[in-house]
Amino acid sequence: IVVGAAGDLVFNPSSLTVTPGTTLRFDFLGLNHTLTQSSFAHPCSNASIFDTGFQQHNPYNESGAFIVDYLVESDRPEWFYCAQTIPISHCHSGMIFSINPAGKH
């Protein structure tokens, strides 16, 4: 999953349906983003479950420089966003990601 390529405030793709045991690989590009777990009800609030923090600063937009793997352990829906707020809120600009959005609730 490409995160913030060329300064775009998106996860690409923005949603995936996968089976438990699948490892997702996030490739962080374009400045500094996070992968922060939230909830459907509060998409831009940290659920304190999973958060990469701001460790993926990639000002040269180099693919493969900052990779984060995430193991999907359930078929339940999971929701994530980018917690960056400088110069604007990335989440409120649409930088969200979901795993199994139509899964078992």
Side-chain angles (χ1 to χ4, degrees), residues 17 38-41 74-79 98-105:
T17 300
S38 62
S39 67
F40 181 76
S74 166
D75 60 355
R76 298 176 72 79
E78 296 184 65
W79 309 94
S98 62
I99 301 169
N100 299 329
K104 298 175 184 175
H105 294 272

Side-chain angles (χ1 to χ4, degrees), residues 1-2 6 9 15 19 25 29 34 42-43 46 49 51 60-62 65 67 69 72 82-83 85 96 98 100 102:
I1 297 102
V2 178
L9 303 183
S15 179
T19 58
R25 178 158 277 189
L29 300 171
T34 73
H42 303 284
N46 189 338
I49 299 170
D51 187 359
Y60 301 109
N61 209 43
E62 295 177 25
I67 301 292
D69 288 339
V72 178
C82 176
T85 60
I96 56 173
S98 62
N100 299 329

Side-chain angles (χ1 to χ4, degrees), residues 75-97:
D75 60 355
R76 298 176 72 79
E78 296 184 65
W79 309 94
F80 299 85
Y81 70 104
C82 176
Q84 182 62 269
T85 60
I86 300 171
I88 60 171
S89 168
H90 290 193
C91 184
H92 287 106
S93 296
M95 195 167 184
I96 56 173
F97 176 76

